[in-house]
């Protein structure tokens, strides 16, 4: 097979693409092949080095479409409505803030803003609805077509969920924060911000709640879960107020924990670096307490104590450990406890 | 080299290959190859992208009875190299951070 024949085969494969661009690519390869042959390579070896024409054509076609879209910034928000309430919702984006809000009309809705830097894939199937950003890497943002203004221009993604939603909810932002104001009656909720903060308020969750931020603080307010609530911040403080659940696990590798009005029979709070302030709704005598700090005071209802286990026979469990900070625990007796006293 | 890291650098490396004077596809590959792995099929979209964004211009010229496309860097392209170089300190800081974390982690 000679150059002409090879070129023709490739041209056939690229049929349907814009003719001018196709000729340009073909000329580019032809020139390259001629230059390689002129510099002593065998023509046949050069041609076979490009692999089969079908695969080469596929990769060229992809490059052509990528090269053809330098801009189009002002295209506005895209809105998707899911008519049936889905069994699962998954939003996984890179660089955008995510808002989870109550739906105004009983339908699951998503709004997102596409630019040449952020493209999304929306998909509805029997398994649920998903929205994903097509991921790019930091260094691609240094590419020639990108300005700082573009990077600041990442617009939030909005997800509207109705009260009737009772499936699985998964929210992830690779580089933005997540703000959740409502999760319907989701079975289980997972929120993950790789590099932003998480604020979650007023959610009643039937099963588990799992909240994670690698590099930002986490704020939870007025959350109830039928099963366990796990909160993990790798590098930020955690604030949680009015939390009800079967179990609460709060952990930060590098931040303080402020937990108040916690109503939960199984509480674990742990930080490697920071203080722990814990306010429990319940009776002190119900809790078996394991309190520990490597560097700081332990205070339970105003009384300083040594690291120790208290109330060995309590029916509930509470553990608070700080690697480097003081630990303070207080109890706020609920109404039923008060009436028995 | 980490693939995404390399992708971002290729644009700059290709522009740098034009700093010594106008060049053509084959020659660009040859001059870039000693520092970074690149194939003809990777080069094409890079050249295209740099052209679209105004970092280089192209023209054709006769060579041995056939046409050859030449690429010339623009002021904007030179500016891009400058921008990249000015990031050096930040990139080094990132490397230093990673290296220190590795060393501390292994001790």
């Amino acid at each position: 097979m000679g150059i002409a024949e090879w070129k023709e085969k490739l041209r056939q494969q690229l049929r349907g693409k814009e003719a001018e661009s196709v000729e340009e690519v073909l000329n580019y390869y032809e020139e390259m092949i001629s230059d390689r042959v002129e510099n002593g390579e065998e023509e046949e070896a050069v041609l076979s080095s490009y692999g089969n024409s079908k695969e080469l054509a596929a990769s060229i076609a992809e490059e052509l479409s990528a090269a053809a879209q330098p801009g189009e910034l002002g295209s506005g928000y895209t809105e998707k409505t899911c008519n049936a309430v889905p069994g699962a919702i998954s939003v996984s984006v890179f660089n955008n803030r995510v808002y989870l809000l109550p739906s105004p009309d009983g339908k699951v809705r998503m709004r997102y803003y596409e630019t040449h830097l952020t493209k999304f894939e929306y998909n509805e199937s029997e398994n649920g609805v998903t929205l994903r950003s097509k991921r790019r890497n930091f260094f691609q943002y240094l590419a020639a077509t990108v300005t700082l203004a573009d990077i600041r221009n990442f617009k939030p993604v909005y997800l509207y969920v109705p009260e009737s939603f009772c499936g699985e909810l998964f929210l992830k932002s690779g580089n933005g924060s997540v703000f959740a104001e409502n999760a319907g009656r989701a079975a289980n909720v997972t929120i993950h911000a790789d590099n932003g903060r998480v604020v979650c308020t007023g959610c009643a969750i039937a099963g588990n709640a799992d909240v994670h931020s690698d590099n930002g603080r986490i704020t939870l307010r007025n959350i109830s879960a039928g099963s366990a609530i796990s909160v993990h911040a790798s590098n930020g403080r955690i604030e949680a107020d009015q939390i009800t659940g079967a179990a609460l696990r709060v952990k930060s590798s590098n931040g303080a924990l402020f937990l108040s009005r916690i109503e939960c029979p199984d509480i674990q709070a742990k930080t490697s670096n920071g203080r722990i302030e814990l306010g429990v709704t319940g009776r002190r005598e119900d809790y078996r307490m394991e309190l520990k700090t490597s560097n700081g005071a332990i205070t339970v209802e105003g009384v300083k104590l040594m690291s120790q286990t208290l109330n060995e026979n309590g029916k509930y469990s509470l553990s608070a450990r700080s690697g480097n900070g003081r630990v303070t625990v207080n109890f706020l007796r609920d109404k039923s406890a008060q009436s028995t006293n | 080299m980490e693939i995404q890291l390399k992708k971002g650098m290729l644009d700059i490396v290709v522009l740098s290959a034009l700093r010594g004077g106008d060049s053509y596809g084959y020659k660009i590959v040859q001059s870039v190859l000693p520092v970074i792995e690149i194939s003809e099929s990777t080069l094409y979209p890079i050249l295209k992208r740099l052209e679209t964004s105004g970092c280089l211009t192209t023209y054709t010229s006769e060579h041995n009875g056939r046409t050859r496309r030449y690429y010339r860097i623009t002021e904007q392209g030179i500016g891009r190299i400058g921008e990249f170089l000015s990031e050096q300190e930040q990139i080094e800081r990132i490397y230093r951070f990673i290296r220190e974390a590795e060393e501390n982690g292994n001790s």
Side-chain angles (χ1 to χ4, degrees), chain A residues 269-285:
Chain A
K270 194 173 172 185
T271 172
S272 309
N273 196 18
R275 67 172 135 153
I276 299 176
E277 282 181 19
L278 173 60
V280 180
T281 302
R283 303 191 305 173
R284 174 181 173 167
E285 51 271 36

Side-chain angles (χ1 to χ4, degrees), chain A residues 46 58 108 132 138 238 263 304 316 323 340:
Chain A
V46 173
V108 171
R132 263 172 6 111
F138 167 73
I238 298 173
E263 203 174 339
K304 275 196 184 181
Y316 301 149
T340 56

Side-chain angles (χ1 to χ4, degrees), chain A residues 201-218:
Chain A
T201 53
C203 296
I205 298 147
N208 293 303
D210 198 341
V211 180
H212 188 120
S213 171
D214 275 343
N215 212 2
R217 65 162 71 175
I218 296 177

Side-chain angles (χ1 to χ4, degrees), chain A residues 210-257:
Chain A
D210 198 341
V211 180
H212 188 120
S213 171
D214 275 343
N215 212 2
R217 65 162 71 175
I218 296 177
T219 309
L220 306 178
R221 204 167 295 123
N222 195 8
I223 307 291
S224 69
S227 315
I229 301 175
S230 315
V231 189
H232 187 174
S234 301
N235 204 9
R237 69 153 80 175
I238 298 173
E239 286 173 28
D241 180 41
Q242 278 188 281
I243 309 295
T244 312
L248 177 67
R249 310 259 175 278
V250 182
K251 190 177 164 189
S252 171
S253 307
N254 198 14
L257 310 180

Side-chain angles (χ1 to χ4, degrees), chain A residues 153-178:
Chain A
N153 213 4
F154 288 114
K155 299 229 160 92
V157 169
Y158 298 92
L159 168 63
Y160 301 88
V161 173
E163 276 299 310
S164 56
F165 175 72
C166 53
E168 303 284 323
L169 184 62
F170 178 87
L171 300 181
K172 178 175 172 164
S173 176
N175 214 2
S177 301
V178 177

